[in-house]
Amino acid sequence: DVKVTQSSRYLVKRTGEKVFLECVQDMDHENMFWYRQDPGLGLRLIYFSYDVKMKEKGDIPEGYSVSREKKERFSLILESASTNQTSMYLCASSEKGGYNQPQHFGDGTRLSIL
Amino acid sequence: DQQVKQNSPSLSVQEGRISILNCDYTNSMFDYFLWYKKYPAEGPTFLISISSIKDKNEDGRFTVFLNKSAKHLSLHIVPSQPGDSAVYFCAASTGNEKLTFGTGTRLTIIP
């Protein structure tokens, strides 16, 4: 069965800290995605990656960076955490082949920045 | 600018009746649409999809309808069951792997 694992379910950090969110998929998928989910705003794409070492900005990349050194792992980095980055973060993966490949999601990391 | 809109934040339906969730979009380049379902404390799971060359797609109790001229799609659940209580997101794509999601509708099935 398809599995996307996010390293933490809950995380509390302080303003200004550098924060790493990790995501691992076991399906050998080429594509990986990072979203944030906020009430009334739905899911918004932060960054995505089509292949190892490849990355593209999504709709709200400001304040974030990503790293994909291995195919199965996609990391989201908050360079200097701010309170407006308190949110639910969701990682997803999908097979290459176009838009008709459904994305498979992890269970999310609820991040609080104090 | 919200390109995919779900104007009803919540919906309550009696068990056994039909649930209809709606989604509107503004980008005429969208040509593939998906619905995802999300339970609390879990990630969204894929439910059903439809290509713009079709106007209807069925999978068991779930049917998605697409009206391209109105830029509107809907998800019908018949009959509604308590386990259908969740947040439903519609999503759209212009033909690449990137999806644009709506804001979600919380569906509550009343026993």
Side-chain angles (χ1 to χ4, degrees):
Chain A
D1 199 13
V2 165
K3 189 71 175 173
V4 177
T5 303
Q6 295 183 230
S7 54
S8 304
R9 293 300 300 271
Y10 301 94
L11 210 50
V12 180
K13 296 291 182 181
R14 297 209 171 271
T15 303
E17 279 192 71
K18 190 168 186 176
V19 180
F20 293 85
L21 302 183
E22 306 287 345
C23 175
V24 177
Q25 50 98 1
D26 65 0
M27 298 157 285
D28 202 35
H29 283 168
E30 289 82 3
N31 303 326
M32 295 190 76
F33 308 82
W34 274 107
Y35 295 88
R36 62 179 282 178
Q37 182 193 357
D38 300 288
L41 296 175
L43 275 71
R44 293 180 293 166
L45 182 64
I46 304 171
Y47 265 99
F48 58 108
S49 169
Y50 290 133
D51 203 345
V52 176
K53 296 194 187 295
M54 303 293 288
K55 61 183 179 184
E56 288 203 25
K57 293 180 180 179
D59 299 317
I60 51 164
E62 296 78 19
Y64 303 94
S65 63
V66 290
S67 172
R68 190 151 180 219
E69 297 295 319
K70 293 185 177 182
K71 189 176 186 180
E72 67 271 17
R73 186 179 297 270
F74 193 35
S75 303
L76 179 70
I77 304 155
L78 285 66
E79 298 292 344
S80 177
S82 64
T83 54
N84 62 12
Q85 292 178 310
T86 291
S87 186
M88 169 69 83
Y89 289 87
L90 291 159
C91 174
S93 71
S94 69
E95 290 184 37
K96 204 178 209 52
Y99 48 76
N100 59 348
Q101 299 293 338
Q103 293 182 16
H104 301 270
F105 284 83
D107 287 338
T109 296
R110 185 164 294 282
L111 175 65
S112 296
I113 307 297
L114 304 179
Chain B
D1 178 33
Q2 193 76 34
Q3 297 186 67
V4 179
K5 299 178 186 178
Q6 294 176 255
N7 292 317
S8 298
S10 63
L11 177 68
S12 294
V13 175
Q14 288 238 292
E15 182 179 357
R17 305 293 289 265
I18 183 171
S19 295
I20 300 176
L21 295 99
N22 294 303
C23 181
D24 296 297
Y25 60 96
T26 56
N27 188 343
S28 58
M29 299 301 292
F30 287 143
D31 63 356
Y32 198 76
F33 304 88
L34 306 90
W35 284 94
Y36 282 80
K37 174 180 179 179
K38 186 181 185 301
Y39 292 120
E42 293 183 15
T45 54
F46 169 71
L47 198 54
I48 192 169
S49 62
I50 188 167
S51 163
S52 60
I53 62 173
K54 293 185 172 182
D55 54 18
K56 177 182 174 181
N57 189 27
E58 261 181 284
D59 184 2
R61 296 186 299 113
F62 302 91
T63 303
V64 57
F65 295 91
L66 176 63
N67 182 335
K68 288 188 292 293
S69 60
K71 296 192 178 68
H72 177 83
L73 67 154
S74 61
L75 175 68
H76 292 210
I77 306 173
V78 184
S80 300
Q81 299 174 354
D84 296 330
S85 294
V87 177
Y88 289 79
F89 292 98
C90 65
S93 171
T94 57
N96 55 28
E97 282 101 341
K98 180 183 162 185
L99 294 177
T100 300
F101 282 85
T103 52
T105 296
R106 182 178 301 279
L107 175 65
T108 303
I109 305 302
I110 304 163

